[in-house]
Amino acid sequence: MVMVRSLQRIEAAMERLARIGQSRGSSARRAERAGTKLLGSAQQVLRASIDHVPARISDLARATSMSDAAVSRQVTLLEGEGLVEREACAEDGRVARVRPTASGRAVGRRLRAAADEIFQEHLVGWRADDLAKLAELMERLGDDLTGESSDK
């Protein structure tokens, strides 16, 4: 019974954290600190385009857990802001790959720094070893839930 209750608490905490992480308020705070207008999904797609260079729309969709159509809309937005560019795939000219521009990488760095600052403010009372243990357990949980290894 204790194990079942713990599993329920973990699931509830994951749902709460997902809501917080994906909320308009969270993305607006990151954007404001980073000095950009990008919100929510656009931030995710920009980050994924930086982490998976160059990437097809389908790769970005998988990385962000979004549909191809939703990612394509965000790429169009990011492209209009000069933060990413599309290029023809050498293997298949019908397929476009997305890569961040220098401006996109700069905005990505500012968004990352803003997120780090916000986390530091909220977790100021946590000990360094508690944070390291939490990171380890969260990576392990992610690995176990996806069957992948984070290798971090």
Side-chain angles (χ1 to χ4, degrees):
M1 186 64 168
V2 172
M3 176 124 171
V4 169
R5 180 66 186 133
S6 293
L7 294 174
Q8 291 170 349
R9 289 177 58 207
I10 290 167
E11 182 179 18
M14 286 175 53
E15 289 170 355
R16 183 173 181 216
L17 291 172
R19 282 191 305 274
I20 292 167
Q22 300 303 317
S23 74
R24 288 183 188 263
S26 291
S27 71
R29 280 190 293 283
R30 283 189 304 271
E32 183 179 352
R33 289 213 188 183
T36 183
K37 299 178 288 183
L38 294 182
L39 296 176
S41 297
Q43 289 179 12
Q44 287 182 277
V45 172
L46 177 62
R47 189 171 38 250
S49 75
I50 292 167
D51 293 344
H52 303 89
V53 178
R56 297 174 184 218
I57 295 292
S58 59
D59 298 330
L60 297 175
R62 220 173 0 270
T64 59
S65 298
M66 296 168 60
S67 70
D68 288 5
V71 168
S72 186
R73 286 190 297 275
Q74 295 306 317
V75 167
T76 298
L77 182 148
L78 294 168
E79 201 172 21
E81 296 289 324
L83 302 176
V84 299
E85 57 192 12
R86 295 180 206 231
E87 63 186 19
C89 177
E91 301 86 40
D92 184 349
R94 298 170 297 171
V95 174
R97 290 204 175 158
V98 178
R99 72 172 54 248
T101 62
S103 294
R105 286 189 298 278
V107 169
R109 284 190 299 273
R110 292 197 317 265
L111 284 165
R112 176 75 267 152
D116 291 347
E117 289 172 10
I118 292 166
F119 267 101
Q120 285 177 342
E121 290 168 8
H122 287 289
L123 302 176
V124 70
W126 288 56
R127 294 187 341 235
D129 59 328
D130 286 341
L131 291 173
K133 185 64 174 176
L134 177 62
E136 178 186 330
L137 290 171
M138 289 182 75
E139 288 170 349
R140 181 176 161 196
L141 177 61
D143 290 349
D144 288 348
L145 291 175
T146 62
E148 299 172 2
S149 176
S150 59
D151 292 329
K152 300 211 177 194

